[in-house]
Amino acid sequence: MIYIEKMEELHTDIKPYRDYTDQLFALYKVLGMQSIDDFHAEPESRWDEKNFMSFFCDITRSKDRVHEFDESDFKIYDDFVVLSGDIKFCAGMLHYLYPFITKGHDLFSSTIIDRRYSMHVSFGYQSVYQFWDRIGDLLWHFFKTGLKKESIYTGRVLNNLNPIYKAMQEYKDLEAAFKSFNDFFDVRHGVVHDFSLGTQLYWERRAAFRDYEANVSLQTKLTEYREKLTACLPLCIEALGYALRLISRIESSKE
């Protein structure tokens, strides 16, 4: 109870957070950033003149499943919505914070802004990995892969599909999209299994202290995190579209 009372004393004004949120949403608009939730209502030609939710569910409900869903397909859809929103948020935060991160080659210490920047890079890359992991899960439910549930990995699922499906353009588009994310998966692997990105960047900043060329290289990397995470948002959504269209090619007894 003491803890709660102290928290109430601290949280006397939510307006600064709402102002910050308004700024972030304005930034989304300027950058043209759209998550799946932004496609919820309006039909689009690339989704067969449907909104994305209808496009998703019409396919998942019209095909036989090799492995039944443990949850409602609405919940599976919602997870894609949430993860694409997380990617959007993290990418937006990188744009929001970037003008204020440390840039001088004669500056040694990392600031709180630097740490928040690296934190949102980590969150964003993890969300990208999760998004692709869910694509693998979705495919596993519809295709015979010989994989047990605990060994599902998107790359394995793709590798284990029947050659008939591998010859289809939808598969080729999906596989190419998956391979284009290899650098994301490498960064995420390092963050999870080696050192946090904040630690890595702090030590790189130390090495770049008063070294102009090393600092330029570091700044290039920081900029690329922002640009790559921003660019990957529509690519993730397109990849989910490829996966759904591949599922739609399955011959089903329901048809």
Side-chain angles (χ1 to χ4, degrees), residues 19-226:
D19 290 344
Y20 141 78
T21 302
D22 289 343
Q23 292 178 51
L24 193 59
F25 273 72
L27 193 57
Y28 292 156
K29 188 173 182 180
V30 170
L31 295 169
M33 297 175 66
Q34 292 181 303
S35 61
I36 292 176
D37 208 29
D38 297 308
F39 301 114
H40 177 74
E42 296 300 323
E44 288 205 10
S45 59
R46 60 176 170 163
W47 313 131
D48 296 342
E49 302 302 338
K50 303 173 184 177
N51 63 52
F52 195 80
M53 187 180 202
S54 295
F55 177 73
F56 183 97
C57 292
D58 285 353
I59 290 175
T60 58
R61 295 180 180 186
S62 67
K63 300 298 177 181
D64 296 323
R65 291 185 286 273
V66 175
H67 305 281
E68 286 301 318
F69 290 145
D70 296 326
E71 303 283 354
S72 162
D73 55 351
F74 282 137
K75 187 172 182 179
I76 295 170
Y77 169 82
D78 281 344
D79 207 32
F80 282 113
V81 171
V82 168
L83 288 170
S84 69
D86 289 348
I87 297 168
K88 177 181 175 180
F89 170 76
C90 290
M93 283 301 300
L94 297 187
H95 284 275
Y96 187 85
L97 295 171
Y98 183 81
F100 310 104
I101 63 174
T102 302
K103 298 184 177 68
H105 69 279
D106 57 345
L107 299 173
F108 176 77
S109 298
S110 292
T111 68
I112 188 64
I113 301 299
D114 296 323
R115 291 193 289 276
R116 291 294 174 265
Y117 188 88
S118 63
M119 182 179 74
H120 284 92
V121 173
S122 295
F123 290 167
Y125 274 55
Q126 181 67 16
S127 296
V128 170
Y129 179 88
Q130 289 176 283
F131 192 98
W132 272 101
D133 187 64
R134 301 302 186 274
I135 288 177
D137 292 343
L138 182 66
L139 293 171
W140 178 80
H141 283 288
F142 288 93
F143 294 95
K144 294 179 180 179
T145 62
L147 297 172
K148 294 183 178 180
K149 187 174 183 179
E150 60 270 17
S151 62
I152 300 172
Y153 174 68
T154 304
R156 290 185 192 134
V157 172
L158 291 174
N159 288 336
N160 286 22
L161 291 192
N162 189 299
I164 292 174
Y165 295 111
K166 288 185 176 182
M168 295 179 178
Q169 187 60 48
E170 292 86 353
Y171 175 89
K172 294 176 182 177
D173 290 339
L174 180 58
E175 182 185 42
F178 178 70
K179 289 181 177 179
S180 74
F181 278 78
N182 281 340
D183 63 329
F184 277 88
F185 304 145
D186 288 343
V187 170
R188 180 260 174 193
H189 185 275
V191 168
V192 172
H193 298 286
D194 299 322
F195 293 98
S196 70
L197 194 65
T199 300
Q200 293 179 44
L201 292 174
Y202 171 73
W203 278 78
E204 286 185 40
R205 188 176 301 285
R206 286 185 59 178
F209 182 50
R210 293 180 178 171
D211 183 332
Y212 178 78
E213 291 185 0
N215 189 68
V216 169
S217 177
L218 175 59
Q219 295 306 318
T220 299
K221 177 185 289 190
L222 292 171
T223 304
E224 287 179 348
Y225 285 140
R226 180 192 65 183

